[in-house]
Amino acid sequence: MSFNMYVPTRFIFGCGRLSELHEQKLPGKKAMVVISNGKSSRENGSLDRTLNELSKAGIEGVVFDKVQANPLKSTVMAGAKTARDNGCDFIVALGGDSVMDASKAMAAMATNDGDIWDYINGGTGKGKALTNDPLPVVCITTTAGTGSEADQWGVITNDETNEKIGFGGDDRLFPVISIIDPELMKTVPPKFTAYQGFDTLFHATESYISKFASFMSDMYALTAIENTAKYLPRAVKDGSDMEARERMAFANTISGIVMTVSVTTAEHSIEHAMSAYHQDLPHGAGLIMISKAFYEFFIEKHACDERFITMAKAMGIKDANRAEDFITALVDLQKACGVADLKMSDYGITPDEFDKIATNARETMGGLFAANPCEMTHEDVVEVLRKSYR
């Protein structure tokens, strides 16, 4: 066993801690504040609070409010241009996974020439290394989803080529500061709380069964799994349950950290291919749709039975003794969160797309297939999609 671990981010965790932003050593005097193209950051007051905090620190804020749920290459380039044109010294990512992912890419392209796809590894990306240091990024997460506040990665969609691929891996893209204030998550609607929470869960479960798992990653993964299984149903049922929100925020951040120590599996490759073709599909919802069939594949192969049993115990089945108990725990959690009956067909996915989705998954994010606990062929992916289809 071996592992590398480098997380240079300063984490500021706890309810009400956005109010401490102005006390931090911030990396400049002018910031671009990136938010989604929705209304939540404006309506819940988090944008005004963030701008006020920056003002207290003597920092001018410029707002970029164009980020979609699955951020596009064109949006990244527009944001990078805004940062350059306004002479911004750093970027503040105020939002969930999409905002934080896009902000890292904008930070890179604000200081480097060309197009973001020049620096993408996979698919039609050119795989170039960043020449210049990106702008520093400060993350203020408003969801408990991807753990993007804890890693050096982001996922960007090229709508011209139907590719959705991870960008980053460069340690200079780690956020310099991440504020995780569960009070900012109170207004997330129940279904999105569930979608984001299952993304947290699957970062941990995938990393735990990954070929790249280690003692270090196991510690983070099992803690994230245990907290998600216990507290996600409560957060979905009552968004103002601050103990549940706090525990999910904690699980989310450590599930982000676990991805810097281990590696997720092809479940993420497959879902990214699904939402590359269907951009209205929330990432977490897509993962939920394929999760049962995806994990059953490895259980049927007896790829890592003991790991599935351990995860089942972490999810509350204390007397678990079969790998299949994990599936029971997973389905029960989906039912408890009201997401057990999600349908691919509701997002326009049809069975005749399965072959191209499977091909796209391997061409764009094929590296994650190497993390699977056993081989998964093209035909196996098609079968996972077939079994998941409704």
Side-chain angles (χ1 to χ4, degrees):
M1 179 192 68
S2 65
F3 63 87
N4 296 326
M5 184 172 183
Y6 176 70
V7 185
T9 305
R10 180 179 182 188
F11 297 104
I12 301 170
F13 185 99
C15 291
R17 298 202 70 183
L18 174 57
S19 63
E20 298 176 25
L21 176 62
H22 72 280
E23 300 172 359
Q24 308 308 312
K25 186 177 180 181
L26 298 171
K29 289 297 182 182
K30 193 169 188 179
M32 183 171 79
V33 181
V34 180
I35 62 174
S36 75
N37 60 359
K39 300 177 180 179
S40 59
S41 294
R42 296 184 187 276
E43 292 182 347
N44 66 18
S46 59
L47 176 60
D48 286 342
R49 289 176 61 192
T50 298
L51 292 172
N52 184 55
E53 285 294 309
L54 291 173
S55 179
K56 284 183 185 179
I59 295 171
E60 180 183 353
V62 175
V63 177
F64 182 84
D65 59 356
K66 303 290 192 295
V67 178
Q68 306 90 344
N70 286 304
L72 300 177
K73 175 175 80 83
S74 56
T75 305
V76 167
M77 297 309 298
K81 184 177 186 299
T82 299
R84 281 196 309 271
D85 290 350
N86 286 275
C88 295
D89 302 308
F90 67 104
I91 291 176
V92 175
L94 174 64
D97 52 347
S98 299
V99 167
M100 291 185 286
D101 285 4
S103 293
K104 295 172 192 174
M106 291 175 194
M109 296 315 301
T111 60
N112 285 274
D113 295 332
D115 184 87
I116 183 67
W117 230 247
D118 295 338
Y119 303 93
I120 290 283
N121 288 294
T124 60
K126 296 181 180 178
K128 293 170 60 177
L130 296 175
T131 302
N132 302 316
D133 289 346
L135 294 180
V137 176
V138 173
C139 286
I140 303 170
T141 180
T142 60
T143 66
T146 64
S148 191
E149 71 274 14
D151 67 32
Q152 75 282 43
W153 292 95
V155 178
I156 308 299
T157 297
N158 186 337
D159 55 334
E160 299 169 3
T161 59
N162 295 120
E163 295 174 303
K164 183 178 176 185
I165 306 179
F167 162 78
D170 188 316
D171 287 348
R172 294 173 293 178
L173 289 168
F174 274 105
V176 293
I177 298 170
S178 286
I179 294 179
I180 305 102
D181 183 344
E183 287 185 354
L184 301 179
M185 304 171 190
K186 286 194 297 185
T187 59
V188 178
K191 72 174 182 178
F192 287 105
T193 296
Y195 297 164
Q196 293 155 9
F198 273 94
D199 193 16
T200 292
L201 178 71
F202 295 136
H203 286 158
T205 55
E206 290 178 53
S207 295
Y208 189 70
I209 67 170
S210 170
K211 284 185 178 178
F212 297 93
S214 67
F215 294 150
M216 180 67 78
S217 64
D218 288 354
M219 174 183 68
Y220 287 113
L222 289 172
T223 302
I225 292 166
E226 184 176 355
N227 277 269
T228 302
K230 184 174 182 179
Y231 291 100
L232 181 57
R234 283 175 49 178
V236 171
K237 182 179 180 181
D238 179 7
S240 62
D241 180 340
M242 290 315 300
E243 182 185 20
R245 288 291 192 190
E246 189 172 54
R247 289 298 192 119
M248 282 308 304
F250 170 64
N252 177 52
T253 297
I254 62 174
S255 78
I257 293 173
V258 77
M259 290 186 290
T260 70
V261 191
S262 183
V263 180
T264 55
T265 66
E267 183 180 12
H268 267 70
S269 305
I270 299 167
E271 195 296 313
H272 286 321
M274 291 162 61
S275 50
Y277 289 109
H278 299 273
Q279 292 170 26
D280 291 336
L281 173 63
H283 174 55
L287 291 171
I288 292 166
M289 292 172 188
I290 62 174
S291 60
K292 181 174 181 287
F294 181 81
Y295 291 107
E296 283 177 338
F297 171 81
F298 298 110
I299 289 171
E300 289 167 4
K301 298 285 187 180
H302 298 286
C304 51
D305 287 357
E306 288 303 317
R307 293 206 155 238
F308 280 109
I309 292 169
T310 300
M311 290 194 296
K313 290 178 178 178
M315 293 179 72
I317 303 180
K318 299 304 180 185
D319 59 349
N321 57 15
R322 302 180 309 131
E324 291 82 359
D325 290 333
F326 170 78
I327 299 299
T328 300
L330 176 63
V331 172
D332 285 349
L333 183 61
Q334 291 175 356
K335 290 177 180 177
C337 294
V339 294
D341 297 319
L342 297 180
K343 297 179 180 179
M344 291 186 190
S345 56
D346 286 345
Y347 292 90
I349 300 173
T350 57
D352 61 2
E353 296 180 85
F354 293 166
D355 187 73
K356 76 174 183 181
I357 289 172
T359 297
N360 183 302
R362 200 174 295 272
E363 288 181 349
T364 58
M365 297 189 72
L368 298 187
F369 282 83
N372 286 346
C374 70
E375 182 183 5
M376 176 177 269
T377 67
H378 175 90
E379 292 74 22
D380 294 331
V381 174
V382 171
E383 183 65 8
V384 166
L385 290 165
R386 188 193 66 77
K387 288 181 176 179
S388 303
Y389 188 75
R390 295 177 186 173

